[in-house]
Structures are given as C-alpha cells and as structure tokens.
Amino acid sequence: MVRPVRRIVTGHDAKGEAIIVADGSPARVYDQLGQPGLVFHEIWNTQQTPAQIDRDTAEAGEASLTLAPPAHGTRIRVLDIPPDTDEFDDEAAREVFEAIGGGDAHHGGKRHATMHRTRSIDYGIVLEGEITLLLDEQETVVRAGEIVVQRGTNHGWANHSGANCRIAFILIDGVFDADIV
C-alpha cells in the first residue's frame, strides 16, 4: 500500500480572492508500470512558460503518463522508488520507459537498467529515504533533504538502501546546446 501524496492547489474566486480549489491526492497516480513498488504521483504540469495564471482551476489535461515535461512547459511529480531487485533488468526498464513515453530517453546498460537522458532541467528533492544518483562514470548517495540539479545528463537511480525512497521532481523543458551530443 502506497502512502498517498497530498496536493493542495490554490486559485482565485470570482472576486479575485485567493482560495483553495483542491486538497487531496493528485488525480493521476500510476502504479502498474511493470516494476512493483514504483509509483508516479503526477502533481501538476504547465503547458507553457511563462505559465498562464487565471481563474481556471483545472490542471492541463494529459492522456497518459509522460516522462518529460511538456514542450515549453513544466511538470512536478513525486516518485516512490522501491529497492533494486535482480528481476528489474534492462528489458524490464525498457518496458517501463516505453510505457511512460520515454523509450527514446532510455539508455540502460552498462551502469544500471534505469539509465536515461531527457532534454530538461530536473530538480530532484529527496523527501524520504535515500537513493544513489548514477552518472556515466560517477555516483553519489542522495539522502532526505538533499537536492539534485539534473541538467540533461545521462543518469540513473539505484536504490540500494533496502527501503522505499520518495523523491519529488520538478522538470523544466530544455534545449541542448549544439556541442552537447
């Protein structure tokens, strides 16, 4: 049983006064992705920057779970990442990435099955537990309260801790410089 994430969304009433328009679990939670214990809590997305601020209380709709932020937009999600198991190999990871629209980002292989690269700036904030950030040649353990600024690099997440890791990601659409392959 996954502990829910509470999402509070504010907005404006007809008089322009600040109000709470939603308070509860996000409408989109994905937990049937092919890796037991992996859960995506989709908190919010914007379809453009600067983001439109109006009286509309609805989040921009999306037909399915998508790894990357919308073009010219942003995304915030919370992930529950379970401890690594031998059953979660490159093929299983490839299937998960395909299911979330990130098949082209998945690199898998030499360091970890979850190795991938997105065209985005991602702020990762560990809320609970710990996780190992893997890069092409380096790695570091990230613990609760610590923050990763992921700048479009090939990376993966390995959970060697034996316990769940909950991490929030804020993703901002990006553009690679011509000299970054």
Side-chain angles (χ1 to χ4, degrees), residues 50-84:
Q52 187 67 38
I53 301 171
D54 56 20
R55 292 193 205 298
D56 186 2
T57 61
E59 175 186 14
E62 293 183 309
S64 63
L65 176 60
T66 304
L67 177 64
H72 309 289
T74 67
R75 174 179 317 286
I76 180 170
R77 66 170 45 114
V78 173
L79 261 69
D80 287 309
I81 302 175
D84 286 359

Side-chain angles (χ1 to χ4, degrees), residues 115-133:
M115 294 297 285
H116 65 287
R117 180 180 181 199
T118 55
R119 194 194 69 213
S120 59
I121 301 294
D122 305 344
Y123 306 130
I125 306 160
V126 176
L127 303 173
E128 298 174 7
E130 66 180 45
I131 195 141
T132 301
L133 167 64

Side-chain angles (χ1 to χ4, degrees), residues 46-52 70-74 171-173:
T46 63
Q47 300 291 313
Q48 64 188 39
T49 51
Q52 187 67 38
H72 309 289
T74 67
L171 297 86
I172 302 167
D173 187 38

Side-chain angles (χ1 to χ4, degrees), residues 7 17 19 60-61 92 132:
R7 177 185 76 165
E17 298 288 325
I19 60 170
T132 301

Side-chain angles (χ1 to χ4, degrees), residues 88-116:
F88 192 68
D89 58 12
D90 278 351
E91 181 60 24
R94 185 192 62 72
E95 291 175 10
V96 169
F97 277 90
E98 288 290 335
I100 62 174
D104 60 331
H106 181 244
H107 294 194
K110 107 178 171 174
R111 300 255 8 234
H112 196 270
T114 66
M115 294 297 285
H116 65 287

